[in-house]
Amino acid sequence: MNLNLSASLNATRLLFKPSICLPHHTVSTFNDLPIPLDSVLHARGLKANIRAVVLDKDDCFAYPDAKEVYEPYKEHFEKLRRAYPGRKLLVVSNTSGATSWDKNLAQAAEVEKHTGVHVLPHEVKKPGCGPEIMAYFKQHPETGVTDASQVAVVGDRLTTDMMLANMMGGWGFWIKDGVVPMQQKSIFSRMERNLHSFLEARGVKPPEPQSS
């Protein structure tokens, strides 16, 4: 069983600050992501300077357990790779690369082989791996990332991906529908949609990233 202690421990944060699970932009599927990502934020008058993108894998650009990009998304995936070349695009998954699950990083190696994108090996699962992500970018100054406000997180889950984005001080892009049909999604994923609607109806907004 792929337990996520990080998500369980950080869930209590929602009681005090529910806004941290909300995205800054929502799209239906991976193919609907704006490129560059900050173009849609600029259109809303937000000051964003996104230099690198953190990508979730499962139900974002790939089927869960798959190691390659979902076929209908391959063209858009390559566009994203061109916009954020090299180490500016980073896969951070709670399966591939999560050392508590992918112990010998064999899954991470397979994803890298099939996508051409680096996969972060991380000890703490999302949403708590922000420090490991920023340490990665610090180790690779060619990305131009000097602050978390220059990072966008793209994923399908509010309580892992969007919480990660907000907890680390970055921008969150929510893939609302993803690859997996709604009736096959986990109960937690379906509940998050109700939470999003509840908070949005009450005018709750995500925190805006601030450069330090």
Side-chain angles (χ1 to χ4, degrees):
M1 184 179 294
N2 192 5
L3 298 175
N4 189 347
L5 182 60
S6 174
S8 300
L9 292 174
N10 282 291
T12 55
R13 291 174 181 251
L14 288 174
L15 298 175
F16 301 99
K17 195 175 181 180
S19 62
I20 63 171
C21 76
L22 292 178
H24 298 91
H25 187 67
T26 301
V27 296
S28 176
T29 72
F30 184 85
N31 274 350
D32 300 308
L33 276 178
I35 300 175
L37 269 68
D38 50 15
S39 61
V40 72
L41 302 173
H42 295 160
R44 285 159 40 196
L46 296 171
K47 295 180 180 179
N49 178 21
I50 295 173
R51 299 180 181 180
V53 178
V54 168
L55 278 181
D56 176 45
K57 180 182 76 72
D58 299 334
D59 207 12
C60 179
F61 68 80
Y63 260 104
D65 299 324
K67 306 301 184 291
E68 64 281 336
V69 180
Y70 181 50
E71 184 65 36
Y73 298 166
K74 285 187 174 179
E75 182 178 348
H76 203 65
F77 191 90
E78 290 306 311
K79 288 181 181 178
L80 191 67
R81 282 187 64 195
R82 290 193 293 270
Y84 301 94
R87 294 185 182 274
K88 293 183 178 183
L89 193 60
L90 179 67
V91 172
V92 180
S93 169
N94 276 349
T95 53
S96 303
T99 55
S100 60
W101 177 256
D102 185 15
K103 295 184 185 298
N104 60 2
L105 298 179
Q107 293 183 34
E110 282 294 303
V111 173
E112 289 184 343
K113 174 183 175 182
H114 289 288
T115 65
V117 176
H118 292 282
V119 176
L120 180 73
H122 54 107
E123 294 182 3
V124 180
K125 290 185 177 181
K126 296 180 287 186
C129 59
E132 291 175 271
I133 291 171
M134 292 310 297
Y136 172 89
F137 288 126
K138 186 176 181 179
Q139 291 168 5
H140 299 285
E142 67 271 22
T143 62
V145 173
T146 57
D147 190 86
S149 64
Q150 298 162 341
V151 178
V153 178
V154 177
D156 69 302
R157 294 294 306 276
L158 297 181
T159 54
T160 55
D161 302 305
M162 297 306 101
M163 277 187 69
L164 166 64
N166 288 310
M167 285 168 56
M168 67 184 284
W171 300 92
F173 285 70
W174 185 31
I175 306 290
K176 185 177 181 181
D177 299 316
V179 184
V180 178
M182 182 61 65
Q183 64 270 22
Q184 295 178 23
K185 293 185 187 294
S186 71
I187 186 172
F188 300 107
S189 181
R190 296 198 298 271
M191 287 172 60
E192 286 181 350
R193 282 150 180 75
N194 294 331
L195 175 62
H196 180 266
S197 299
F198 175 84
L199 294 174
E200 194 174 52
R202 283 152 182 78
V204 180
K205 304 290 184 183
E208 186 174 332
Q210 302 293 326
S211 59
S212 57

